[in-house]
Amino acid sequence: MSDLMIKPRLRWACRRGMLELDVLLAPFVEEGYDALSLADKQTFERLLACDDPDLFAWFMGHAKSEDADLQRLVGVILDRVRV
């Protein structure tokens, strides 16, 4: 499936209901997703399948994901926000 077909689905999945997550994830789909490798795009989709409380804890630094790839991608997203 091409990125053009995937991005609307990703935009929808980024609407989490928690403003703190929305302001991190939605802009990343627009500004950072296209630059990801295929493996990281798949990891991003796995990240979006995680529960909001887990995502919140990971992005706020209260906890770390046990999945190293998910945790690395959280760092990538946070680095883009800090720039």
Side-chain angles (χ1 to χ4, degrees):
M1 193 178 289
S2 76
D3 284 351
L4 290 176
M5 295 174 68
I6 290 173
K7 284 187 93 170
R9 184 173 55 83
L10 293 176
R11 284 184 198 105
W12 180 255
C14 287
R15 295 175 50 136
R16 307 302 294 201
M18 291 183 76
L19 181 61
E20 297 87 349
L21 296 176
D22 292 351
V23 298
L24 290 169
L25 296 172
F28 184 78
V29 168
E30 300 303 327
E31 301 164 7
Y33 177 81
D34 291 336
L36 295 176
S37 67
L38 179 57
D40 281 348
K41 287 177 180 179
Q42 292 169 342
T43 301
F44 184 71
E45 291 188 45
R46 285 195 307 115
L47 185 73
L48 292 179
C50 294
D51 293 332
D52 285 359
D54 291 332
L55 291 174
F56 182 82
W58 299 339
F59 279 108
M60 297 304 125
H62 301 303
K64 291 189 177 194
S65 172
E66 294 179 7
D67 183 312
D69 289 331
L70 292 178
Q71 188 60 45
R72 183 183 51 77
L73 196 55
V74 166
V76 168
I77 294 168
L78 288 173
D79 286 346
R80 285 195 57 87
V81 171
R82 290 185 192 123
V83 173

